[in-house]
Amino acid sequence: LLSNKEFISNKLSKYVQNNLPKIYDYLQNLSNGYKTNHLLFLYGDDFTFKNGDKLYTIMDLLIDEFRLNQCYSRKVNMFYST
């Protein structure tokens, strides 16, 4: 039996996996406006982080999925910084 946190994590992981191509396409389209191969992807603002645990979980899952998926891992090096 999964705990509530594990259930939410599994559900979010499937959501990220299902939307990875859309997210990659979004980033690819965004990068067309820049001359460099570095892209700053802003994620939220001060008022968005009222539920920080969930948002950081999603960010971690997103980063992990891009790293684990060979199709994207050669093209994208995603990390977060503060």
Side-chain angles (χ1 to χ4, degrees):
L1 208 55
L2 295 176
S3 70
N4 193 31
K5 188 173 183 175
E6 289 172 320
F7 175 77
I8 291 170
S9 182
N10 286 344
K11 190 173 180 179
L12 289 173
S13 181
K14 287 180 184 178
Y15 175 81
V16 169
Q17 288 171 356
N18 291 338
N19 287 287
L20 205 59
K22 291 178 189 175
I23 297 167
Y24 176 78
D25 288 343
Y26 171 77
L27 294 174
Q28 187 67 33
N29 288 332
L30 191 61
S31 73
N32 291 333
Y34 297 89
K35 292 181 180 180
T36 179
N37 62 351
H38 294 215
L39 183 64
L40 178 64
F41 180 64
L42 300 176
Y43 191 86
D45 58 36
D46 289 343
F47 301 106
T48 308
F49 291 96
K50 290 179 182 176
N51 191 355
D53 288 342
K54 185 176 180 181
L55 293 172
Y56 277 105
T57 298
I58 293 170
M59 278 194 288
D60 287 339
L61 290 168
L62 184 62
I63 291 168
D64 289 345
E65 287 301 322
F66 269 106
R67 288 184 180 159
L68 293 172
N69 190 314
Q70 290 182 353
C71 177
Y72 302 115
S73 65
R74 294 184 188 116
K75 301 173 187 175
V76 175
N77 180 24
M78 186 177 283
F79 59 93
Y80 63 91
S81 179
T82 57

